[in-house]
Amino acid sequence: MKVMTTQFNIAQTFLQALPFSSLLKMKMEQAGEGFAVISMPYQSIVSDGSKDDKIYSSAISSLIDTCGGLSVLVHKHLPRDTATLDLRVDYLRTAYPSKTVFARAECYYVTGSVAFVKATATDNCLTDPIATAVGTFAFVAKKPVSI
């Protein structure tokens, strides 16, 4: 259980240091070896203000991107730094009005300096995602990565 606590603390510290994440009120929900889950509550700043109260897709992309980076930071190699190289987000539907959106990302493969991530954004149930994503992230390892 100590690994989970350490990785959660790493992810939470990183998330809290990002001004944009604070603005969007992103919250660390879970973190473990190579995965992270964060949430973003509905608020007017992420809504288009229409009667449907649709959440901007850019806010959801930011949530997914942040979660993807966190999943790399809590990978077993525990890198020092990470940066998004490429992120493809496929939107499947709009988010339900006034619902909290959750993103779950998994770092499923790493090379010497690039990590590969897949992610999903949901609001109401896991079987009806808002979006799915795949991405690559550059990272600086604390120690050399053996493949």
Side-chain angles (χ1 to χ4, degrees), residues 85-132:
L85 294 174
D86 183 47
L87 184 65
R88 176 194 165 123
V89 180
D90 293 319
Y91 286 92
L92 307 173
R93 64 172 180 85
T94 57
Y96 293 119
S98 304
K99 295 283 187 184
T100 297
V101 177
F102 295 86
R104 184 187 195 287
E106 176 189 355
C107 177
Y108 64 91
Y109 189 78
V110 289
T111 65
S113 61
V114 177
F116 296 82
V117 172
K118 55 187 172 183
T120 305
T122 61
D123 52 9
N124 212 26
C125 92
L126 295 174
T127 59
D128 188 21
I130 298 166
T132 60

Side-chain angles (χ1 to χ4, degrees), residues 18-55:
L18 299 172
F20 190 64
S21 297
S22 295
L23 178 70
L24 297 182
K25 297 187 167 108
M26 291 182 191
K27 179 183 169 197
M28 201 67 230
E29 298 290 341
Q30 289 182 307
E33 190 174 296
F35 83 92
V37 179
I38 59 177
S39 63
M40 179 181 65
Y42 174 84
Q43 55 184 324
S44 61
I45 195 170
V46 298
S47 170
D48 67 1
S50 69
K51 63 179 180 174
D52 296 332
D53 280 335
K54 293 179 182 171
I55 294 177

